Amino acid sequence: MGFLKKSMLFLLGAISLAGCASTVQVNVRHAPELGLGAVKTVKIEKFTVQGGVNLNLSRNILLDFVGDVVVGGFVEPDRASLQDAHRQGLAAAIARNGYFQISDSDAANVRIDGGLDYHVSDHVTESEQKTGSVTIKTYTLARTANATVVFHVTDKSGKVLGSSKVSADLQRSWNGASEAEVRGQAGGTTGVVLEVLADTHDKVLQKIAPYYVTEQRTLRQRWSDQIKNGNKAAEQGNWQEAVQNWNAALSSGKQQDRVAAMYNLAVYDEVTGKLDDALKKYEEIYSLTKDSDDAKEVDRIKVRINEESALKQAENSRSASSSP
């Protein structure tokens, strides 16, 4: 067989393998940035609120609006309402997570307070499209919103246990035949501020409480029927059959088959929470391949093990604590 033909067959085989990549999902629990130890109950205070809105209103549009509407709720959200919305939204996010209990009592283990800074900006563009002798104008309003939340966690004595900051952004757009039309569609700015503010609540939560992220792992492919069948079974959620096939492939005479099988078994260990077993397999794989990607897998699983250790220590501390 000629060199060119062999190269083409190899290339086609590689493309075939890449095209049938198998992926599975792993629920990964992450430790929060701020470890709060034995804390069980949290009180959410009202945050200070500041911000600004730039609607870039043209003179003609300004004249179209009634003055008190422009100066009032159309332009600036009510800050007292934002305070309440932020407090309630953050409390709801923490309650959904279930790690902490929300309390309105001063006897809560900790309180969370801080400040909220929001900004809204409009940008209107005009475009023209000619169809014969007819010119059609289209106006587009792009509205951007940003919210930054700085927060502090303090205990009952006033000692600061941790501080952090989160931010969120969003953009919305509307199209119409006139500037007045698109501004009418967009309406006031309160809606986008509340929407971007809601994005900050989950980010604050991830700073103070354990959270789960669903990650994808790509199983390693080989031409071996045992690897292929195992990967197919894993994709379908039939882990028992998958493990049987991969274990059988471990006795293969080809090192690449054994490495692929061992890698996939390490993924299974992650799925089932056996992180120490997964680490042993990833380390053995790296000892065989000396591949930098395999070294990264070792480092990644070590981070997971350290995070789980920190979480278990916090849970033990919470269990031993007599405070509510």
Side-chain angles (χ1 to χ4, degrees), residues 115-154:
L116 160 66
D117 187 12
Y118 72 90
H119 293 276
V120 180
S121 180
D122 281 0
H123 181 64
V124 177
T125 57
E126 176 187 339
S127 61
E128 291 185 353
Q129 182 177 358
K130 289 188 176 181
T131 304
S133 60
V134 178
T135 299
I136 301 175
K137 288 187 176 182
T138 300
Y139 291 81
T140 300
L141 167 60
R143 174 169 291 175
T144 59
N146 166 271
T148 299
V149 173
V150 177
F151 68 94
H152 316 286
V153 183
T154 56

Side-chain angles (χ1 to χ4, degrees), residues 195-212:
E195 191 174 349
V196 75
L197 188 57
D199 290 341
T200 69
H201 298 149
D202 287 335
K203 293 184 177 182
V204 170
L205 182 62
Q206 291 182 359
K207 296 279 188 176
I208 63 174
Y211 60 97
Y212 284 89

Side-chain angles (χ1 to χ4, degrees), residues 67-302:
D68 60 351
V69 175
V70 174
V71 176
F74 188 87
V75 174
E76 291 283 356
D78 179 72
R79 295 192 178 185
S81 297
L82 288 184
Q83 277 187 320
D84 291 336
H86 176 61
R87 182 174 181 272
Q88 293 168 10
L90 182 54
I94 292 174
R96 284 195 303 270
N97 176 271
Y99 190 73
F100 298 115
Q101 297 175 20
I102 296 297
S103 173
D104 289 327
S105 169
D106 290 334
N109 298 146
V110 297
R111 68 170 186 162
I112 299 178
D113 60 10
L116 160 66
D117 187 12
Y118 72 90
H119 293 276
V120 180
S121 180
D122 281 0
H123 181 64
V124 177
T125 57
E126 176 187 339
S127 61
E128 291 185 353
Q129 182 177 358
K130 289 188 176 181
T131 304
S133 60
V134 178
T135 299
I136 301 175
K137 288 187 176 182
T138 300
Y139 291 81
T140 300
L141 167 60
R143 174 169 291 175
T144 59
N146 166 271
T148 299
V149 173
V150 177
F151 68 94
H152 316 286
V153 183
T154 56
D155 64 15
K156 287 182 282 189
S157 69
K159 178 183 177 182
V160 177
L161 302 180
S163 300
S164 194
K165 178 174 72 173
V166 300
S167 295
D169 303 273
L170 65 80
Q171 180 171 320
R172 297 287 180 267
S173 62
W174 298 267
N175 298 310
S178 67
E179 183 178 349
E181 181 181 341
V182 293
R183 290 198 180 279
Q185 293 175 25
T189 58
T190 300
V192 291
V193 174
L194 291 176
E195 191 174 349
V196 75
L197 188 57
D199 290 341
T200 69
H201 298 149
D202 287 335
K203 293 184 177 182
V204 170
L205 182 62
Q206 291 182 359
K207 296 279 188 176
I208 63 174
Y211 60 97
Y212 284 89
V213 175
T214 300
E215 298 178 355
Q216 284 195 334
R217 299 281 184 267
T218 300
L219 300 175
R220 294 201 173 170
Q221 306 288 332
R222 292 293 297 161
W223 284 279
S224 160
D225 287 339
Q226 292 164 330
I227 300 293
K228 290 180 181 179
N229 293 336
N231 292 2
K232 183 178 180 181
E235 280 190 310
Q236 296 171 347
N238 189 347
W239 286 104
Q240 183 176 0
E241 181 181 340
V243 169
Q244 288 175 348
N245 276 279
W246 294 331
N247 277 327
L250 288 177
S251 60
S252 169
K254 297 180 180 179
Q255 178 173 299
Q256 289 180 318
D257 287 353
R258 295 196 303 272
V259 167
M262 192 179 305
Y263 180 90
N264 295 345
L265 286 166
V267 171
Y268 171 69
D269 288 336
E270 285 198 68
V271 170
T272 54
K274 300 174 183 175
L275 301 185
D276 290 334
D277 291 342
L279 175 60
K280 291 177 182 177
K281 290 183 177 68
Y282 286 130
E283 287 177 332
E284 185 171 352
I285 290 168
Y286 177 62
S287 71
L288 292 171
T289 67
K290 301 301 181 184
D291 190 298
S292 60
D293 287 338
D294 292 327
K296 291 177 183 178
E297 296 289 356
V298 172
D299 293 339
R300 178 183 59 76
I301 202 67
K302 284 181 177 178

Side-chain angles (χ1 to χ4, degrees), residues 55-65 70 179 183:
L55 295 187
N56 295 316
L57 292 168
S58 68
R59 182 176 181 276
N60 291 336
I61 291 297
L62 183 63
L63 294 175
D64 286 341
F65 285 104
V70 174
E179 183 178 349
R183 290 198 180 279

Side-chain angles (χ1 to χ4, degrees), residues 39-59:
V39 169
K40 294 181 181 178
T41 56
V42 174
K43 181 180 181 182
I44 310 296
E45 303 286 0
K46 285 189 176 182
F47 281 49
T48 60
V49 176
Q50 63 179 5
V53 173
N54 181 8
L55 295 187
N56 295 316
L57 292 168
S58 68
R59 182 176 181 276

